[in-house]
Structures are given as structure tokens and as C-alpha cells.
């Protein structure tokens, strides 16, 4: 009798296991059909990372300055004391140069050196020198100006690296472009901090080059975009200058940051919260930058 009872108990256990398996398989379809809320799985209980950048009223400035990585364009990122440059080894000019400007950085502790240097991070064979500009009739135009780097001797020295330089029309370099540099210094003092990105514009055409050894590309135009996050609300503005002689008022060069992005293919200030970036890059108002 004991053996028969044991067999019945074994069969009962097997039936119970089978019923549990069937219930597990059928539970989810039945629950969905009856509109019963299923318990969350472990992965569903973990908060998902949002692709959006929520705006809380404060903007973290870490890495705010740098544009997004370029697509299908050679770039060598070089971090300097006073700026960061994306250098194009094929064109022998920067793609862009970016820096933060504050009142503290406008304290003139160093004199202008006027000593243009081949970039020490490039090999002697590929580094552009001042010899490449001889007889070309073009200025060695700073992207990050020497005047923004007088706060430290190393910053001043590195501002004269040829990776920070573009062939620039003499009248533009000493005229309207210089005036914009001076206005940016004024804005930095008034706003306490601004972010600047500038560089060459190359249109869809065959480009002129200078230099017998390195064939330095001559840009057709230049851009500069400025961002201020200290203002309420934050603001940004863009400028485009043809690489030719001219004497025009500042508002003749004004553009939205979106327009500069469209022309250059560069995504500026990608670390901004999306709602802030979309708003300030789509419009410009030069009057917002003019203070009494």
C-alpha cells in the first residue's frame, strides 16, 4: 500500500508542475486580453536615459564651448592654454577655433609677441610656417586673437601657432574683423563671460592656395558665433565676413547661428539644453548686445 501511495504522490507533483508551466505560458496573453496590468519587468523598473536635455533654468558650462565632432572632415583637436582648435591637415588651416572670454582674461599681463611659430604638435614636414605666406599678399590672420591672450605668457605664445592662423585679406584683418574682435572684448566685460567660435568658410568651388611647400588653403569667407549664458534669457549671435576688403557697419555681417551652421556644416554649442539651443540659434537681435 505504501508503494502505491508514493506513486500517486509522484504523479500529483508532476501534474502540479505541468499546471504551473501552462499558467505561466498563458498568463500574459490572457492578461492582455482581459486588460490586466502586468507587473513591470526588472529592465522596465530601471529609469531610461532621456535623449532630451531638460532645461532647469541653469546651464552647465562644462564642455559647452566645443562644437560637435565634424563629419567627413579631417580634424585634429588641439587644446591650448587660451583656446581649442580643430585643425584640418589637408587644408592646412583650422576648421574652427573656440575659446572662453572673461574680464580676467582681458587683463594685459603680456605684450604681443608677433612671433609666428610652426605648431610643435605637427611634424616638421607638415607644419605650416611663415614662409608659406611670403609673397602671397595675404595677412596671417588670427582666429583666436592675440589680444584675447595677454593674460598669460603661454596663451600669448600659443596664439601665434600657425594652426590658429588663416590667410586673410589685409584690409579685413586690420579693419572690420579687428573691430569685431574689439566688440567681443567689450561684450565679455559687460556680460562677465562669453563663448566664441570662429573659423574659415569654404564654398563649393575650387579654392586658391598659397605657399610653395604646404599649399595653404585661402578661405572665401570667415564666421564667428558668440554665446552668452549669463544673460536672462541666454543669447547667441553669428557673423559672416567675406575674405575681401570692405568697410561696413557691424549689422551688415550679422546672421543667426543656424545660418552659420547651415553654411559651415558645424554644430555649435551642442551641450546646450535642446529647448535653449533651438531658440537662441534660430534668431538674432543685435540690440540685445548693445548696452548703454
Amino acid at each position: 500500500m505504501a508503494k502505491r501511495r508514493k506513486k500517486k504522490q509522484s504523479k500529483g507533483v508532476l501534474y502540479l508542475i505541468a499546471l504551473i508551466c501552462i499558467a505561466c505560458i498563458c498568463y500574459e496573453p490572457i492578461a492582455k486580453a482581459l486588460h490586466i496590468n502586468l507587473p513591470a519587468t526588472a529592465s522596465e523598473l530601471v529609469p531610461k536615459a532621456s535623449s532630451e536635455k531638460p532645461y532647469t533654468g541653469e546651464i552647465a558650462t562644462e564642455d559647452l564651448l566645443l562644437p560637435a565632432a565634424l563629419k567627413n572632415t579631417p580634424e585634429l583637436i588641439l587644446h591650448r592654454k587660451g583656446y581649442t582648435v580643430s585643425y584640418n591637415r589637408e587644408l592646412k588651416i583650422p576648421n574652427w577655433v573656440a575659446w572662453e572670454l572673461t574680464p580676467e582674461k582681458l587683463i594685459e599681463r603680456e605684450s604681443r609677441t608677433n612671433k609666428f611659430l610652426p605648431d610643435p604638435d605637427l611634424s616638421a614636414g607638415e607644419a605650416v610656417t611663415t614662409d608659406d605666406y611670403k609673397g602671397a599678399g595675404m595677412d596671417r590672420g588670427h582666429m583666436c586673437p592675440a589680444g584675447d591672450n595677454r593674460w598669460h605668457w603661454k596663451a600669448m605664445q600659443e596664439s601665434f601657432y600657425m594652426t590658429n592662423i588663416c590667410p586673410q585679406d589685409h584690409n579685413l584683418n586690420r579693419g572690420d574683423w579687428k573691430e569685431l574682435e574689439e566688440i567681443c572684448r567689450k561684450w565679455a566685460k559687460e556680460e562677465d563671460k562669453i563663448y566664441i567660435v570662429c573659423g574659415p568658410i569654404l564654398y563649393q568651388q575650387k579654392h586658391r592656395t598659397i605657399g610653395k611647400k604646404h599649399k595653404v588653403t585661402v578661405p572665401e569667407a570667415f564666421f564667428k558665433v558668440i554665446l552668452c549664458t549669463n544673460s536672462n534669457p541666454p543669447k547667441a549671435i553669428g557673423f559672416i565676413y567675406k575674405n575681401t576688403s570692405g568697410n561696413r557697419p557691424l549689422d551688415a555681417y550679422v546672421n543667426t547661428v543656424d545660418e552659420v551652421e547651415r553654411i559651415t556644416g558645424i554644430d555649435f554649442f551642442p551641450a546646450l539644453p535642446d529647448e535653449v539651443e533651438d531658440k537662441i540659434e534660430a534668431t538674432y537681435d543685435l540690440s540685445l548686445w548693445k548696452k548703454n
Side-chain angles (χ1 to χ4, degrees):
M1 292 295 291
K3 287 182 181 179
R4 192 178 299 166
R5 205 179 291 121
K6 196 170 185 178
K7 283 183 180 180
K8 286 183 179 181
Q9 287 176 352
S10 299
K11 287 182 179 179
V13 171
L14 291 173
Y15 290 149
L16 180 61
I17 293 172
L19 286 171
I20 291 172
C21 292
I22 292 169
C24 290
I25 294 169
C26 298
Y27 175 62
E28 185 173 351
I30 293 171
K32 286 181 179 178
L34 296 176
H35 305 289
I36 298 172
N37 292 327
L38 296 175
T41 63
S43 62
E44 290 172 334
L45 293 174
V46 179
K48 294 181 180 179
S50 174
S51 60
E52 298 292 324
K53 296 174 282 187
Y55 178 49
T56 61
E58 297 181 358
I59 298 175
T61 57
E62 183 179 0
D63 295 329
L64 180 60
L65 175 62
L66 302 184
L70 299 177
K71 298 178 181 178
N72 303 318
T73 301
E75 66 171 344
L76 172 65
I77 303 297
L78 301 169
H79 298 283
R80 304 305 185 199
K81 184 75 174 177
Y83 63 89
T84 298
V85 56
S86 164
Y87 184 68
N88 192 316
R89 281 174 149 142
E90 292 182 3
L91 302 177
K92 307 299 182 185
I93 55 175
N95 297 307
W96 52 257
V97 181
W99 67 102
E100 174 192 88
L101 194 57
T102 64
E104 291 75 22
K105 290 182 177 180
L106 294 175
I107 298 173
E108 297 184 3
R109 297 189 176 94
E110 301 293 329
S111 299
R112 182 183 172 98
T113 65
N114 283 325
K115 187 178 181 180
F116 291 88
L117 301 168
D119 196 305
D121 284 335
L122 300 178
S123 67
E126 69 173 331
V128 173
T129 70
T130 56
D131 289 342
D132 293 302
Y133 282 70
K134 286 182 178 179
M138 305 290 292
D139 276 13
R140 295 161 295 185
H142 283 77
M143 295 297 95
C144 180
D148 290 4
N149 289 278
R150 291 183 174 180
W151 53 280
H152 194 279
W153 69 266
K154 188 172 181 62
M156 172 57 71
Q157 180 190 65
E158 291 178 342
S159 74
F160 281 85
Y161 284 177
M162 297 300 290
T163 44
N164 181 45
I165 305 298
C166 283
Q168 196 166 47
D169 177 85
H170 173 78
N171 181 271
L172 175 64
N173 185 34
R174 308 296 173 90
D176 290 1
W177 188 255
K178 181 181 178 182
E179 289 178 7
L180 179 58
E181 292 173 345
E182 292 170 348
I183 289 170
C184 285
R185 294 181 195 116
K186 178 176 177 287
W187 288 343
K189 290 177 181 178
E190 292 174 346
E191 304 290 355
D192 196 48
K193 181 189 295 183
I194 60 174
Y195 300 93
I196 305 171
V197 187
C198 81
I201 294 175
L202 299 170
Y203 295 126
Q204 297 294 324
Q205 63 183 60
K206 185 176 181 180
H207 311 298
R208 177 189 168 193
T209 62
I210 61 172
K212 294 180 180 179
K213 185 176 181 180
H214 293 107
K215 302 299 181 185
V216 182
T217 303
V218 178
E220 285 78 54
F222 293 94
F223 72 85
K224 183 168 285 188
V225 294
I226 300 109
L227 167 69
C228 177
T229 58
N230 284 348
S231 59
N232 187 17
K235 58 190 176 184
I237 196 166
F239 298 89
I240 294 176
Y241 289 71
K242 289 184 179 180
N243 194 9
T244 57
S245 298
N247 184 15
R248 305 170 70 188
L250 185 65
D251 57 9
Y253 301 105
V254 176
N255 282 268
T256 65
V257 175
D258 276 346
E259 180 65 7
V260 180
E261 287 184 333
R262 184 189 68 80
I263 292 172
T264 63
I266 301 172
D267 179 10
F268 301 107
F269 315 123
L272 279 174
D274 290 335
E275 61 189 271
V276 177
E277 182 182 8
D278 292 343
K279 184 176 181 180
I280 67 175
E281 291 187 356
T283 60
Y284 69 84
D285 186 349
L286 189 56
S287 66
L288 294 177
W289 296 82
K290 295 178 179 179
K291 295 188 176 182
N292 296 328

